[in-house]
Amino acid sequence: MARRDNSEINAGSMADIAFLLLIFFLVTTTMDVDSGISRKLPEKNQNPEETKVVIKEKNVLDIVVNRNNQILVEGTDYVQVKDIKKIAMDFIDNGGGLGNSVDGQPAKECDYCQGAKNPLSSDHPSKAIISLQSARGTTYGMYVSIQNEIEAAYNELRSQLSEKLYGVSYDQLLKDYNDNGGEKLKARIDNLKDKYPQIISEPEPIK
């Protein structure tokens, strides 16, 4: 009886199939991309002997987030994330004193502030500092949510002043400038940023 040879499997196209499957999964798979917070770092102090600025305690709004994601304002009041924007706006726009002296000119009161002018709160938007400190156990999502509320407070104040001065919102000014550019729009945006400068301090996390 004749011996039959074992048939061989043609594996020549297996590599091609595996390659096509790899391409398919690469194209169809979505990858999560972590997003960060855009912040401009302070410039290096060129003059180490420069006199340090004395900051009044009332010009600093302390916000602390503990490891349980609880938010404590001024060391006494526990608040929710949704409350941060209003608290920050009231603090920044208080206008309870004089601003910074510019080009040797005497310091002036804030003539555009709509706040309560509480003498125990911030003197001027140019002096108002928001200190946001977190614990090492604070979740990233909570930290970003608070940052968003603080930024929304600044944008809302700028928008209110923009409506009063230019008849359009701050967001619309930014959109028009991004679409069309122009020195006039840039000057208006810079003016609003100067009126309400975004000053945020981020101390080392609590252990």
Side-chain angles (χ1 to χ4, degrees):
M1 184 176 180
R3 184 177 178 182
R4 298 177 59 185
D5 294 333
N6 292 331
S7 61
E8 296 182 356
I9 299 176
N10 184 7
S13 62
M14 295 296 290
D16 295 334
I17 295 173
F19 181 73
L20 290 174
L21 287 174
L22 177 62
I23 296 297
F24 172 78
F25 287 119
L26 286 176
V27 171
T28 58
T29 301
T30 59
M31 299 181 182
D32 293 333
V33 179
D34 293 335
S35 58
I37 304 173
S38 177
R39 285 288 178 267
K40 182 179 179 180
L41 297 176
E43 296 181 359
K44 182 179 179 181
N45 186 3
Q46 301 296 331
N47 184 9
E49 298 181 356
E50 185 179 10
T51 304
K52 293 184 178 180
V53 177
V54 178
I55 301 175
K56 295 180 181 178
E57 185 176 350
K58 70 173 185 174
N59 285 325
V60 180
L61 177 65
D62 285 314
I63 302 175
V64 178
V65 193
N66 64 22
R67 66 182 62 187
N68 298 319
N69 288 335
Q70 294 173 313
I71 308 169
L72 186 64
V73 175
E74 295 295 331
T76 57
D77 302 320
Y78 283 101
V79 301
Q80 302 297 318
V81 174
K82 60 182 178 62
D83 302 322
I84 295 296
K85 178 181 175 181
K86 178 67 165 55
I87 293 172
M89 288 180 63
D90 291 343
F91 171 76
I92 298 165
D93 203 38
N94 180 63
L98 301 177
N100 293 315
S101 177
V102 180
D103 297 330
Q105 298 296 322
K108 298 180 180 179
E109 294 183 355
C110 180
D111 56 3
Y112 54 85
C113 291
Q114 302 296 317
K117 300 189 183 301
N118 183 353
L120 301 179
S121 188
S122 71
D123 290 326
H124 194 276
S126 63
K127 292 183 176 181
I129 302 172
I130 297 180
S131 173
L132 176 57
Q133 187 175 31
S134 62
R136 295 196 183 277
T138 303
T139 62
Y140 183 74
M142 172 59 74
Y143 190 79
V144 170
S145 296
I146 298 173
Q147 284 274 7
N148 288 340
E149 291 299 310
I150 294 174
E151 186 169 353
Y154 281 104
N155 288 338
E156 180 68 22
L157 290 171
R158 291 171 181 172
S159 190
Q160 290 177 2
L161 185 59
S162 180
E163 292 278 2
K164 181 179 179 181
L165 295 178
Y166 311 123
V168 294
S169 67
Y170 179 65
D171 288 339
Q172 187 62 46
L173 277 181
L174 292 175
K175 183 179 183 302
D176 292 342
Y177 179 71
N178 291 332
D179 291 343
N180 306 313
E183 291 299 321
K184 183 177 180 180
L185 289 175
K186 184 178 184 302
R188 291 181 174 183
I189 292 171
D190 289 343
N191 180 48
L192 295 171
K193 289 182 177 180
D194 288 340
K195 298 292 188 185
Y196 290 109
Q198 186 167 313
I199 312 174
I200 302 175
S201 170
E202 299 177 357
E204 285 292 324
I206 304 170
K207 294 182 179 180

